[in-house]
Amino acid sequence: MALSDLNPVERNEEGIAAVLGILKQQLGERFQTGQAIRSQHAHTTTYIPTQAPDGVAFPETTAEVQEIVRACAAHRVPVIAFGVGSSLEGHTNAPGGGISVDTSRMNRILAVNPQDLDCTVEPGVTREDLNRHLRDTGLFFPIDPGANASLGGMAATRASGTNAVRYGTMRENVLSLTAVMADGETVTTGKRAKKSSAGYDLTRLLVGSEGTLGIITSLTLKLQGIPQAISGGVCPFPSVEAACNAVIATIQMGIPVARIELVNALQMRAMKNYSKLDYPESPCLFVEFHGSDAGVAEQAETFGMIAEENGGGPFLWTSVAEERTKLWKARHDAYWSSLTLRPGAKGLSTDVSVPISRFAECVMETEADIAEMGLIAPIVGHAGDGNFHVLVLMDVNDPEEIALSEKFVARLNMRAIAMDGTCTGEHGIGQGKIGFLRHELGHGVDIMRTIKQALDPLDIMNPGKILPGN
């Protein structure tokens, strides 16, 4: 999507000038307007151009977030929430200028309730920070998108990752939250009970809203017990189709796999060179099982038989923590290893998700597209839930390459939607996928717009994101 196709947001120069003065007085050194820091708070990991805010605020309390939002509402100035900036679809850009609200100083773990398997944290706590804090309790937070993202940002983008096939996404793991809404008031969406039938599900409304309805200031999260035993390994296959069919059989048999990740041959080549792995340069599945010693051994044995029936193997698995850590470090470094396939190029990371029965078909058609278009674009996938990622390597200074990459992404998105899937399994809409939302949801987009207008009538909360302009 070219910048010219993005939703325009009109700048309010007079209002912005007024808010810059107000926030400087309120926050002092915790409000910055330097060019470098403003650019850092609008960076994108794709080719969408950076659109910097006019100032960056560093609140430390919910009350300070309220003051910022009220000042912006009074002068009709955009407010863009910022976690660590690891989102992929231009979520943190400021197309109409405005104020970036960096929540990194709201990084306190407010409560851990081991008996109830939950905790309450501020939005700036990262997933790695939380799991370090939980280590001695025997509990962990399972959602792992790869990047050390902030938990507020993960909730705002409805993140998931490699563990989603067993533990679900942020949608299933946020019990409740508090958020500052567009009028500066704070809403609490629920209590710590594991289920509730009390009114509209405001938690799920705000989880995945990408900062367009409010700014999250605390979250109550589900926790899990650290498994007694963990085993995992890598299994090569002769083709992507064979690997995908093994995934489908594994899921349909009800094997409680914790992670089952597809890596195509090109991606495996990059990972071998970058992470020094000693595996065949062929499509592979990275698999992990959680449970008892006997349970994970049985699950690994069963998966090995499924792999063999689909022409794969041998499945080499281990329960040694250091060896597993090396494997998953390589998987999480897939983005960086991919860049070595074309030095100097930039990666356009995109994702789709389809029903598991259509997964093999969708991946194979996508590989055929890549070959037909002459692209360098490795594939990795959270195969257990039908979600896969393609990283298109391109010269962002070449308009023809940008146009070709956009054509590929459009075909991929429409293919997934045609298969009763989604144009984004976990990256979100942001700016980059606005053009595909109506194809996927139809009149649902109009319902979303009605909600947005009711809760944010001045359109100050992360404007220009999610909803198409018409």
Side-chain angles (χ1 to χ4, degrees), residues 41 56-60 65 80-84 100-108 122-125 150-153 215-217:
H41 282 76
V56 181
F58 293 87
E60 295 180 350
V65 176
I80 304 97
F82 186 94
V84 298
S100 176
V101 180
D102 185 318
T103 61
S104 60
R105 298 194 185 193
M106 299 178 69
N107 59 0
R108 291 172 284 271
E122 291 184 325
V125 176
S150 70
L151 292 163
I215 297 178
I216 296 169
T217 57

Side-chain angles (χ1 to χ4, degrees), residues 122-206:
E122 291 184 325
V125 176
T126 68
R127 64 175 186 86
E128 290 183 4
D129 289 339
L130 178 58
N131 280 324
R132 276 192 292 268
H133 183 86
L134 294 171
R135 190 173 297 152
D136 294 337
T137 68
L139 303 174
F140 79 115
F141 183 68
I143 309 304
D144 178 6
N148 187 25
S150 70
L151 292 163
M154 287 170 62
T157 55
R158 202 186 297 129
S160 52
T162 57
N163 280 324
V165 63
R166 177 169 180 136
Y167 298 105
T169 72
M170 287 299 284
R171 180 182 63 190
E172 291 80 34
N173 286 277
V174 178
L175 288 172
S176 65
L177 56 83
T178 60
V180 174
M181 308 302 284
D183 60 359
E185 294 298 315
T186 299
V187 62
T188 299
T189 63
K191 302 297 184 181
R192 288 197 299 118
K194 289 297 187 286
K195 63 180 182 179
S196 172
S197 296
Y200 297 150
D201 193 343
L202 298 180
T203 304
R204 302 302 175 274
L205 177 62
L206 288 168

Side-chain angles (χ1 to χ4, degrees), residues 1 429 431-439 468:
M1 174 172 289
I429 296 295
Q431 293 176 300
K433 295 205 172 184
I434 284 177
F436 302 98
L437 194 61
R438 188 171 290 280
H439 290 288

Side-chain angles (χ1 to χ4, degrees), residues 369 372-373 406-416:
D369 258 4
E372 179 185 332
M373 295 183 178
E406 289 178 341
K407 179 181 178 181
F408 166 77
V409 171
R411 287 176 62 166
L412 174 59
N413 290 338
M414 296 304 292
R415 177 181 304 117

